[in-house]
């Protein structure tokens, strides 16, 4: 056979053209057509095919990717409902060809997904959950003996979320979420209109109501611990001595000076929580003869004048303790 440098060149080939090949089975050089060579390449180096396997798993499932009969495996999971857990075991590393791909899709949410390596060193980028309609594609790289997530498709929105996006009503939002409490319209922070809410142990800076404020069962209206205080006139100071206690409620311990029979003594309580027109509710709490005194108060801005009267027929040298509470009141 002439050497290649002695052959004439050709600029265009046809399927019937012949090329020289060495046939190992015959032990000599032979010729083959271009079309025969093309068919050989198409058969030997065709695009990898995908083997599809469909499963209907239940929660806690454990599935193994089939030993590859093709370079790509598609595992289609069709559970009937959301699954709490599931495990997928990858092909054994020693029998897996370089570049093998595994595509996993699911029609329902898998809350906790575990990928078992089966001899591989690691798996990178795989999700720990898989939503309905989502997919993850893993490729095996022989050089590192590892699997890599080359694509992770986010799941489309569920039908309930799609309904909310199409028509963002309170009802559609409630249908799309779980764990909510109550029914009705969506509530925002400023001036919400609530219907018979059960607020539990609520806290706040103020509460304004246009209707009745009712307490059911054994509950009570009043002030919480920490809102009150105590103050003392001081021994020997006299029952007319002014005191200061800027609390919405509390106790005043008066001086033990003599209060004559059928006599009234007045003193000033300075209290920044009091406003003009407020009502000071008072009670003789302790420290003296029950029923021996009457109490009265006139409120002004930042203070109140409290009057204590001895209504008995004899003088009293007692130390009465007065419990008070400020009640907001207006004339308009």
């Amino acid at each position: 056979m002439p050497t290649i440098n002695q052959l004439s060149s050709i600029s265009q080939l046809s399927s019937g053209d012949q090329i020289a090949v060495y046939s190992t089975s015959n032990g000599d050089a032979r010729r083959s057509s271009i079309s025969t060579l093309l068919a050989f390449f198409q058969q030997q180096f065709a695009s990898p095919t995908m083997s599809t396997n469909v499963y209907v798993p239940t929660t806690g499932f454990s599935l193994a990717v089939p030993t590859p009969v093709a370079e790509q495996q598609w595992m289609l999971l069709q559970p009937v409902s959301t699954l709490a857990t599931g495990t997928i075991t990858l092909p054994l590393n020693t029998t897996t060809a370089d570049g093998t791909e595994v595509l996993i899709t699911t029609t329902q949410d898998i809350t906790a997904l575990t990928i078992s390596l089966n001899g591989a060193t690691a798996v990178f980028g795989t999700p720990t959950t898989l939503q309905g309609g989502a997919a993850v594609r893993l490729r095996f790289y022989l050089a590192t003996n590892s699997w890599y997530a080359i694509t992770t498709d986010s799941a489309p929105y569920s039908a309930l979320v799609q309904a909310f996006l199409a028509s963002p009503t309170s009802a559609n939002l409630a249908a799309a979420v779980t764990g909510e409490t109550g029914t009705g319209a969506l509530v925002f922070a400023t001036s919400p209109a609530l219907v018979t809410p059960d607020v539990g142990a609520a806290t706040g800076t103020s509460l304004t109501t246009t209707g009745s404020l009712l307490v059911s069962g054994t509950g009570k209206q009043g002030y919480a611990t920490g809102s009150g205080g105590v103050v003392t006139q001081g021994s020997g100071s006299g029952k007319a001595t002014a005191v200061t206690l800027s609390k919405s409620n509390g106790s005043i311990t008066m001086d033990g000076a003599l209060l004559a029979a059928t006599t009234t003594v007045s003193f000033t309580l300075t209290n920044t929580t009091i406003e003009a027109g407020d009502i000071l509710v008072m009670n003789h709490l302790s420290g003296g003869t029950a029923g021996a005194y009457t109490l009265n108060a006139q409120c002004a801005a930042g203070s109140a004048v409290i009057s204590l009267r001895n209504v008995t027929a004899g003088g009293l040298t007692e130390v009465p303790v007065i419990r008070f509470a400020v009640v907001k009141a207006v004339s308009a």
Side-chain angles (χ1 to χ4, degrees), residues 8-263:
S8 300
S9 63
I10 186 172
S11 60
Q12 185 174 356
L13 296 174
S14 65
S15 60
D17 290 344
Q18 305 280 312
I19 61 173
V21 295
Y22 179 80
S23 174
T24 56
S25 60
N26 293 294
D28 57 10
R30 302 203 175 191
R31 64 178 184 273
S32 176
S33 67
I34 296 293
S35 59
T36 300
L37 182 63
L38 176 61
F40 172 80
F41 283 135
Q42 289 175 335
Q43 180 179 5
Q44 297 298 318
F45 304 105
S47 298
T49 58
M50 175 176 286
S51 176
T52 303
N53 297 276
V54 181
Y55 305 89
V56 185
T58 57
T59 193
F61 68 86
S62 180
L63 298 173
V65 177
T67 301
V69 295
E71 290 188 12
Q72 298 185 47
Q73 294 283 339
W74 181 15
M75 296 189 72
L76 176 57
L77 310 182
Q78 289 185 320
V80 296
S81 61
T82 298
L83 303 182
T85 59
T87 300
I88 293 178
T89 301
L90 295 171
L92 183 63
N93 65 322
T94 56
T95 60
T96 301
D98 187 28
T100 295
E101 293 184 5
V102 174
L103 175 63
I104 305 169
T105 62
T106 179
T107 59
Q108 298 284 346
D109 290 357
I110 302 176
T111 305
L113 177 64
T114 300
I115 301 297
S116 180
L117 297 177
N118 200 8
T121 301
V123 56
F124 298 98
T126 184
T128 56
T129 64
L130 202 59
Q131 291 179 290
V136 58
R137 185 190 297 271
L138 304 174
R139 178 178 294 170
F140 183 66
Y141 183 44
L142 185 61
T144 60
N145 189 35
S146 298
W147 292 87
Y148 297 84
I150 55 175
T151 57
T152 301
D153 300 326
S154 299
Y157 293 117
S158 67
L160 292 175
V161 176
Q162 289 175 346
F164 171 74
L165 294 176
S167 179
T169 64
S170 295
N172 282 340
L173 177 60
V177 300
T178 60
E180 74 279 3
T181 180
T183 59
L186 189 64
V187 174
F188 292 95
T190 304
S191 303
L194 304 178
V195 180
T196 61
D198 182 359
V199 295
T203 59
T205 56
S206 65
L207 174 63
T208 301
T209 175
T210 58
S212 300
L213 184 61
L214 305 177
V215 178
S216 62
T218 58
K220 296 181 291 184
Q221 289 181 320
Y223 295 96
T225 300
S227 64
V230 296
V231 66
T232 302
Q233 283 184 325
S235 178
S237 62
K239 283 184 167 61
T241 302
V243 295
T244 299
L245 180 61
S246 293
K247 293 287 187 176
S248 56
N249 62 108
S251 298
I252 303 169
T253 301
M254 298 188 67
D255 180 60
L258 172 67
L259 183 58
T262 64
T263 300

Side-chain angles (χ1 to χ4, degrees), residues 261-317:
T262 64
T263 300
T264 301
V265 64
S266 298
F267 67 93
T268 299
L269 167 64
T270 300
N271 189 328
T272 56
T273 69
I274 298 175
E275 298 177 289
D278 284 354
I279 297 173
L280 200 64
V281 178
M282 295 179 294
N283 183 50
H284 176 202
L285 179 65
S286 62
T289 304
Y293 303 97
T294 60
L295 293 162
N296 188 47
Q298 291 80 41
C299 293
S303 66
V305 176
I306 298 175
S307 298
L308 176 74
R309 183 174 177 81
N310 177 3
V311 296
T312 69
L316 298 172
T317 55

